[in-house]
Amino acid sequence: MKTYILIIFSGFTMGIVYSQVGIGTINPSNSSMLEISSTSDGGLTYKGFMPPRVSNTAERDLINPTAIDVGLLIFVKNIGCIQIWNGSSWENSYCLDTIPIEPWINEFHYDNIGGDIGEFIEIAGPSGLDLSNYRILLYNGATGASYYGITLSGILPNESNNYGALSFSPPSIQNEMEGIALIKISNNKVLQFISYEGSFMATNNTANGIMSIDIGFYESENTTPIGFSLQLTGSGNTYSNFIWNPPASESPGFLNTGQQIN
């Protein structure tokens, strides 16, 4: 009797393994191995399909697929992208126009007493965010034209409550009225266009036609000490939660003194 039951159970198991599978339906399409219905109660309620999700690219890289895993699909939450494995690397299949929290310009230094030393622009945001999908454009306030661009790189670290910052150093950041634009590459969107020592309209490149927002503070070659910068302080977890301040001791690559992430 036990042998008979075992044979029946084994046959049932093999039938499941080698047949089509339907979730929410008992009649999956003849052309599919798996069909998931949006409703299982005749249309009274509907639900969607949720692909496997990881919080950031660091978690994604723990999957460690090989060349035979072509087509593997995941959703990376902090960059808002569905990614597919091409056999050697992850490719964006589709990216949302916005993600819950975008990175922002958090601190920068462009002028000081004497020759300018250690100019930089710092980007802050949620830890694990891959900055290779973002770039910085520097704009000349007199002409409105961009004069230098940086495609960013690196993963934002966890410095406080799952947020962190990275610093980037262009060859030179011009003095007087100038601007900095933060661009999201995947949709060519201007996330920020800030300026110092005045406001102006960009006349070319991605920020063309956009008016800069003057942060209200600047650095001076007569009064700003070496090692100082313009930076955000306050409490929150998005750019709008913080305020710009007069020059203070710099901290490139680290969240600012007086900046509380919550």
Side-chain angles (χ1 to χ4, degrees):
M1 182 65 178
K2 291 182 179 180
T3 302
Y4 180 73
I5 293 174
L6 180 60
I7 292 173
I8 293 175
F9 180 78
S10 299
F12 177 70
T13 302
M14 293 298 289
I16 293 175
V17 171
Y18 289 103
S19 65
Q20 295 169 279
V21 177
I23 299 177
T25 176
I26 60 173
N27 297 304
S29 167
N30 290 331
S31 300
S32 71
M33 288 300 297
L34 168 66
E35 179 180 343
I36 302 175
S37 173
S38 60
T39 179
S40 59
D41 57 9
L44 297 177
T45 58
Y46 288 88
K47 296 182 179 181
F49 170 72
M50 185 71 73
R53 295 176 294 170
V54 294
S55 296
N56 49 55
T57 54
E59 289 185 4
R60 177 204 67 191
D61 291 342
L62 295 175
I63 297 174
N64 197 29
T66 66
I68 65 173
D69 298 313
V70 174
L72 188 65
L73 194 71
I74 57 169
F75 180 76
V76 185
K77 291 193 289 186
N78 71 338
I79 61 174
C81 291
I82 294 175
Q83 294 191 330
I84 190 168
W85 178 251
N86 66 13
S88 61
S89 63
W90 292 100
E91 290 185 8
N92 289 338
S93 175
Y94 178 80
C95 292
L96 302 175
D97 288 339
T98 59
I99 59 176
I101 299 175
E102 297 279 14
W104 65 85
I105 301 167
N106 198 53
E107 180 183 2
F108 64 96
H109 166 63
Y110 68 93
D111 201 4
N112 54 251
I113 297 172
D116 297 339
I117 295 177
E119 297 172 317
F120 71 91
I121 299 170
E122 178 186 271
I123 304 298
S127 62
L129 180 63
D130 186 352
L131 291 183
S132 64
N133 192 31
Y134 302 86
R135 67 190 304 245
I136 289 171
L137 289 175
L138 303 181
Y139 278 85
N140 180 283
T143 65
S146 60
Y147 64 88
Y148 192 77
I150 310 172
T151 298
L152 306 182
S153 61
I155 307 295
L156 288 176
N158 183 1
E159 296 173 345
S160 176
N161 288 336
N162 296 312
Y163 281 76
L166 288 175
S167 176
F168 301 88
S169 299
S172 177
I173 304 177
Q174 295 177 359
N175 300 337
E176 301 180 355
M177 183 175 64
E178 310 295 338
I180 307 170
L182 177 60
I183 312 297
K184 187 171 184 178
I185 297 173
S186 60
N187 56 7
N188 210 33
K189 181 179 180 181
V190 178
L191 300 180
Q192 282 179 273
F193 184 29
I194 63 172
S195 58
Y196 46 91
E197 302 189 42
S199 182
F200 63 93
M201 181 177 289
T203 58
N204 74 345
N205 220 312
T206 310
N208 184 35
I210 299 177
M211 184 68 68
S212 69
I213 298 176
D214 187 352
I215 66 170
F217 298 98
Y218 64 92
E219 295 182 323
S220 169
E221 63 180 6
N222 298 316
T223 60
T224 302
I226 295 173
F228 274 47
S229 69
L230 298 168
Q231 52 196 265
L232 293 172
T233 62
S235 177
N237 61 9
T238 64
Y239 176 73
S240 61
N241 297 144
F242 305 108
I243 59 172
W244 288 100
N245 295 268
S249 294
E250 65 183 29
S251 59
F254 297 92
L255 294 172
N256 305 327
T257 301
Q259 183 175 41
Q260 181 179 353
I261 302 295
N262 56 29

